[in-house]
Amino acid sequence: MRREKVTRQLNRGSISELCVLAAVGLCAAVIGCGRGAEEDVGFPAETSKAEILPIPQGLPEEVCDYREWTRESVWTKLADAEDGNAAIYANRDDREKLYLWWNGQFAALDCQNARQGEWGVRMWPQDLDMDGEEELILVFTPWGSAQWCVEDLRIMEPKIEGWMEMDFPEAAYMEQKEDAQGRTVQMLTFEKTEEGIEAAIAAQDAEQQAAVLWRALLEYDGRSFYLVQEERLEPE
């Protein structure tokens, strides 16, 4: 069963910059949608098992921006986790994967879009499902699109048999939003907060032909994702 939700206050300041970026002049008047448990829609994670590999020799220690990587070296280090226990690498000869070092193990991740699109990556440890063991949160962001983009959220779960990769199903969420409310999602971003992970969503309003901005708290129970405590920012 899904764990009992814990009532938490959204961090309103964490996405305040998004309001400035909205060309339609979104303001800070907030309307709570008050979604109850019976209204929460779960989005099952897209699950795969990470391929554990031997750790290559000569991995670089310093982070190098993907766009500045000259390809003279076989490997480049794209990002470090904030606790120093994880790092993301790219390989010159493999344009379909990125590689994750985490707690002394090394694994390949299917990241064709990230490699070909030269996406940025953020990562941090967090016990998102509240089971007493930290997962590793990965967020891939397209370069050059600032906050207005659809990010790729992945959660690495440590298991006895290895790592399980739990991906947020962006396409399923965007389709549900469009079917339920007649809006096309144009932005979906994720940010770490003290309460968990906050999602920011912007969509084109089919009736008003204007951008609409929401914020929501992302919950994860080890199998599915839930966007709860959804709040909508209205234009004046």
Side-chain angles (χ1 to χ4, degrees):
M1 294 180 63
R2 185 186 171 203
R3 61 177 171 79
E4 191 73 20
K5 293 210 302 281
V6 179
T7 301
R8 292 167 287 189
Q9 180 66 30
L10 286 171
N11 181 351
R12 298 174 186 273
S14 62
I15 63 165
S16 59
E17 294 181 358
L18 294 173
C19 301
V20 178
L21 290 172
V24 295
L26 298 174
C27 72
V30 178
I31 296 179
C33 294
R35 294 175 51 162
E38 69 280 3
E39 297 173 342
D40 291 345
V41 177
F43 297 91
E46 298 174 349
T47 305
S48 61
K49 185 175 180 179
E51 179 186 1
I52 304 296
L53 302 170
I55 299 176
Q57 297 294 319
L59 290 175
E61 297 183 0
E62 299 298 324
V63 172
C64 175
D65 190 296
Y66 193 100
R67 295 165 294 182
E68 297 177 0
W69 181 27
T70 64
R71 278 41 172 202
E72 293 178 1
S73 58
V74 175
W75 293 95
T76 190
K77 187 179 189 179
L78 300 180
D80 271 322
E82 56 189 35
D83 66 348
N85 289 326
I88 288 284
Y89 298 89
N91 183 282
R92 180 184 61 197
D93 302 320
D94 186 349
R95 293 192 57 83
E96 295 187 355
K97 291 182 173 63
L98 289 175
Y99 294 83
L100 171 64
W101 175 86
W102 182 29
N103 289 336
Q105 290 187 299
F106 195 75
L109 306 178
D110 184 7
C111 295
Q112 185 172 358
N113 289 338
R115 282 305 310 270
Q116 293 186 358
E118 299 187 2
W119 291 27
V121 58
R122 309 190 311 278
M123 58 182 163
W124 63 88
Q126 191 170 2
D127 185 9
L128 197 59
D129 58 5
M130 299 182 184
D131 65 352
E133 189 170 15
E134 288 186 331
E135 295 82 45
L136 183 67
I137 316 300
L138 302 173
V139 179
F140 295 96
T141 307
W143 288 116
S145 54
Q147 300 271 3
W148 291 93
C149 63
V150 175
E151 292 185 325
D152 181 355
L153 171 69
R154 306 185 184 198
I155 296 177
M156 303 304 297
E157 285 263 23
K159 302 291 185 182
I160 295 177
E161 65 275 14
W163 302 341
M164 294 302 297
E165 180 180 333
M166 316 295 282
D167 298 350
F168 180 82
E170 290 88 358
Y173 171 75
M174 293 165 67
E175 182 179 356
Q176 187 274 340
K177 197 77 170 178
E178 182 173 358
D179 290 345
Q181 301 178 359
R183 300 184 177 97
T184 302
V185 175
Q186 298 172 320
M187 179 192 77
L188 177 60
T189 63
F190 304 95
E191 182 176 349
K192 180 185 178 182
T193 70
E194 293 181 357
E195 291 78 20
I197 295 178
E198 186 174 287
I201 310 104
Q204 188 75 21
D205 191 301
E207 296 180 358
Q208 300 179 11
Q209 297 297 310
V212 181
L213 181 65
W214 291 268
R215 72 175 102 237
L217 191 65
L218 180 75
E219 291 194 345
Y220 169 70
D221 64 5
R223 297 186 301 272
S224 298
F225 297 92
Y226 301 83
L227 288 169
V228 302
Q229 299 184 34
E230 186 174 287
E231 295 181 332
R232 175 174 166 176
L233 297 178
E234 293 278 9
E236 291 182 322

